[in-house]
Amino acid sequence: MDTYPSVDASPYQVFGAHPSTSGWVFSTPSGLRCQASLIADLGVFCTGPVPGTRGDVDYVAASLTRPGVLTRSDIGDLAGDPFPLLPTGAKIAAGNGVECAVISDDGLACLAKKPDSWSPDTPAPPDREYGEHGFVVRAQGSWTF
């Protein structure tokens, strides 16, 4: 992730009625529509055609507390206004612990970890474990961690 230049996150920022619906949104050249939550524990999720997966996979997500997933979702596409395009070769790192980079025209990599603003010894809540989780999606194959 360190090799990709960061975009200015402010054009991607959205404000919802609740902090869980606030954060940053972007689209990728391959048609994914993604939202990174202001709340670090919620991480990032994307809907749309997920490259490198079987045809019915339309949802990919990861967070500080959950390993990445590739699955079929019934939430549908993130509707509404078009999301600003995150260009190929750039990343968004808004300070919430989530970084996503468009690694190719058909690829996206996202990493969710403790925000840099948190102390390294910040304890996890009793019902969750903090960790570094993410996903890589691209036509040659997709995976999560």
Side-chain angles (χ1 to χ4, degrees):
M1 290 294 212
D2 293 340
T3 62
Y4 295 94
S6 291
V7 296
D8 174 9
S10 58
Y12 300 87
Q13 192 164 19
V14 293
F15 299 96
H18 184 271
S20 64
T21 58
S22 297
W24 300 266
V25 296
F26 63 91
S27 63
T28 69
S30 67
L32 287 172
R33 291 170 52 91
C34 304
Q35 182 167 358
S37 178
L38 181 66
I39 299 172
D41 285 12
L42 298 181
V44 60
F45 72 94
C46 303
T47 63
V50 179
T53 63
R54 63 185 193 277
D56 64 340
V57 173
D58 65 351
Y59 181 86
V60 60
S63 78
L64 172 65
T65 58
R66 291 181 321 271
V69 296
L70 292 163
T71 191
R72 173 84 182 130
S73 170
D74 58 2
I75 66 168
D77 196 14
L78 293 172
D81 294 333
F83 289 180
L85 180 68
L86 184 60
T88 301
K91 76 176 175 182
I92 185 166
N96 67 334
V98 173
E99 294 183 0
C100 291
V102 177
I103 57 177
S104 64
D105 286 346
D106 67 355
L108 175 68
C110 290
L111 172 66
K113 61 181 184 167
K114 285 184 185 179
D116 292 339
S117 61
W118 290 13
S119 169
D121 59 351
T122 300
D127 61 338
R128 299 186 284 277
E129 290 285 327
Y130 287 152
E132 292 190 9
H133 305 291
F135 56 83
V136 176
V137 295
R138 57 191 189 125
Q140 299 88 345
S142 297
W143 66 92
T144 64
F145 57 96

